[in-house]
Amino acid sequence: MNILVIHGPNLQLLGSRQPALYGTADLASINRELHRLAASHQVMLTIVQSNHEGEMISRIGAARGRCDGLLINPAGYTHTSVALRDAIEAAGIAAVEVHLSNIYAREPFRHQSLTAGVCRGQICGFGAASYRLGLEALIGVLTASQTAQRPHQPTPSRRPARAGSTSASRRRR
Ligand code: DQA
């Protein structure tokens, strides 16, 4: 399973940027935690951070057919970018949106997410843990859809052992 993680603009500053809002964990430590979690589920992660809307859109476009899922913190573009929303929708892969802060408890202009509507779900307000929770949710969604797509294999029925025979004696026959 392959998952693309995109951190949007200004998230390279995590750790020193408004720690009361965004916490003290820097981006490198968040990424380490995501890699650890992904490895424990045998998931391959590609992580990028970009301050450029066009680059984020190109990365999402390139993920189509190559990645199974997208974990994204669109940061400021959450509230402004129709183009990013269109890119997520066009990619046709399961996406989960995350935010460190609770955007609904902040300024009114942050209450609207243009991108969440084309994602499977959104997690916000848990600081760095939002990323971990988002990745777990995304892996859950992808695992469920892979299981549903797998052809049904009937579970082999076990023949009841005959009275007086052991599996060893049956093998000798
Ligand atoms: C953010 C919330 C956005 O409103 C803001 O522009 C960000 C960070 C968050 O993770 O809480 O840059 O996406």
Side-chain angles (χ1 to χ4, degrees), residues 107-128:
E107 306 95 316
F109 70 85
R110 292 185 205 274
H111 296 183
Q112 190 190 24
S113 168
L114 297 186
T115 41
V118 290
C119 294
R120 292 296 293 262
Q122 181 200 59
I123 294 174
C124 72
F126 299 100

Side-chain angles (χ1 to χ4, degrees), residues 68-125:
D68 304 294
L70 170 69
L71 182 72
I72 184 164
N73 183 348
Y77 289 132
T78 306
H79 319 293
T80 63
S81 181
V82 173
L84 196 56
R85 177 195 168 97
D86 289 347
I88 297 170
E89 192 171 28
I93 57 177
V96 171
E97 175 174 315
V98 296
H99 299 281
L100 298 124
S101 63
N102 180 352
I103 56 174
Y104 304 101
R106 298 183 61 191
E107 306 95 316
F109 70 85
R110 292 185 205 274
H111 296 183
Q112 190 190 24
S113 168
L114 297 186
T115 41
V118 290
C119 294
R120 292 296 293 262
Q122 181 200 59
I123 294 174
C124 72

